[in-house]
Amino acid sequence: MPPLLHPALPLLLGATLTFRALRRALCRLPLPLHVHADPLRTWRWHNLLVSFAHSIVSGIWALLCVWQTPDMLVEIETAWSLSGYLLVCFSAGYFIHDTVDIVASGQARASWEYLVHHIMAMGAFFSGIFWSSFVGGGVLTLLVEVSNIFLTIRMMMKISNAQDHFLYRVNKYVNLVMYFLFRLAPQAYLTHFFLRYVGQRTLGTFLLAVLLMLDVMILIYFSRLLRSDFCPERVPRQQHKDKFLTE
């Protein structure tokens, strides 16, 4: 069925509007004092709250999908489940919402890395949504959201100037372990799987190209994470104030 008539469109619209409504609700929560004093930090805080909620739901959901349909670990192209399909639609809705939020808030230039990531992620997810291929791959990709739970906690604590808090010190080690288990390991596994599509003119080749670009971005983020949390003396004193990604 042509994408413009696809029944998944209401699911995508519903997920996008759900995250929009969630953001409006979260904006009513009290802010840390240091965050409240800066409009940019306020926007970042609200944006990260939505990201945190998405990570919790999607991370747990992805684990359940793999547990319920273990074939997704092997039959990455053909394995399918209703729960996995709905998860991919749900997360695609989040990326649509976050892209609109970044652009509408005037943060596109400072957050261009996030926009590139979101566009690539949506392109990959749409293959599963509209053509029902690689749904298993989409679910495995979303295991990264387990890691994002702790990464988002880290970013929110940095924004609120709580780097000296005991919880931050504990979280930075937990975050490092989760980064290996749920970001680097699944990404390496998926890259190895998709290398079989080299030289073919198929959807798998397109997804391999997306995956390789995401590999580069993930390694860059990992180097920033190590430099910021474990080699802080190497971090330049003057950071870009409007940069969305806090190192």
Side-chain angles (χ1 to χ4, degrees):
M1 183 177 295
L4 288 177
L5 303 176
H6 202 282
L9 288 176
L11 293 175
L12 288 172
L13 179 61
T16 304
L17 294 178
T18 296
F19 283 108
R20 177 60 183 170
L22 177 62
R23 189 189 189 285
R24 291 177 66 90
L26 292 175
C27 284
R28 299 181 180 181
L29 295 177
L31 295 169
L33 183 62
H34 188 75
V35 173
H36 188 270
D38 186 334
L40 178 57
R41 288 177 184 264
T42 299
W43 174 79
R44 285 181 177 177
W45 184 268
H46 291 147
N47 184 276
L48 287 172
L49 279 177
V50 178
S51 175
F52 186 59
H54 169 255
S55 294
I56 292 175
V57 175
S58 295
I60 296 174
W61 195 345
L63 289 171
L64 289 174
C65 286
V66 173
W67 178 71
Q68 292 171 346
T69 313
D71 287 350
M72 289 183 174
L73 293 170
V74 181
E75 303 297 333
I76 293 176
E77 181 176 358
T78 58
W80 191 93
S81 72
L82 178 60
S83 179
Y85 184 82
L86 293 175
L87 169 60
V88 173
C89 291
F90 176 77
S91 290
Y94 164 72
F95 287 123
I96 294 172
H97 156 77
D98 200 46
T99 299
V100 173
D101 185 39
I102 290 173
V103 174
S105 301
Q107 297 298 319
R109 183 175 181 180
S111 312
W112 67 269
E113 296 171 12
Y114 260 28
L115 292 178
V116 170
H117 170 272
H118 288 3
I119 291 170
M120 290 191 294
M122 286 187 288
F125 285 161
F126 288 163
S127 67
I129 294 171
F130 295 121
W131 288 277
S132 296
S133 297
F134 298 102
V135 172
V139 171
L140 294 184
T141 300
L142 287 168
L143 289 174
V144 72
E145 296 301 334
V146 178
S147 169
N148 277 349
I149 295 172
F150 303 93
L151 187 62
T152 305
I153 290 174
R154 170 188 176 272
M155 294 177 68
M156 294 177 72
M157 294 191 74
K158 291 199 74 170
I159 289 174
S160 56
N161 277 5
Q163 297 98 313
D164 296 328
H165 198 283
F166 174 73
L167 178 59
Y168 184 91
R169 294 194 294 272
V170 172
N171 183 74
K172 76 176 184 178
Y173 290 104
V174 176
N175 181 41
L176 186 63
V177 172
M178 293 300 175
Y179 205 100
F180 272 106
L181 292 178
F182 291 101
R183 188 180 292 263
L184 295 179
Q187 197 75 11
Y189 178 72
L190 286 168
T191 301
H192 178 266
F193 174 85
F194 277 96
L195 284 175
R196 69 183 61 184
Y197 295 101
V198 170
Q200 301 181 22
R201 295 183 178 181
T202 63
L203 182 59
T205 308
F206 164 74
L207 294 177
L208 173 62
V210 171
L211 203 59
L212 291 175
M213 288 187 284
L214 288 174
D215 287 347
V216 173
M217 296 184 73
I218 285 176
L219 291 175
I220 292 174
Y221 294 162
F222 186 53
S223 68
R224 291 179 181 174
L225 176 67
L226 292 177
R227 182 179 62 176
S228 179
D229 277 356
F230 299 96
C231 303
E233 67 278 359
R234 297 187 179 183
V235 178
R237 292 184 180 181
Q238 294 295 330
Q239 297 287 350
H240 295 292
K241 185 179 178 182
D242 353 349
K243 190 171 178 59
F244 178 73
L245 292 175
T246 55
E247 293 187 350

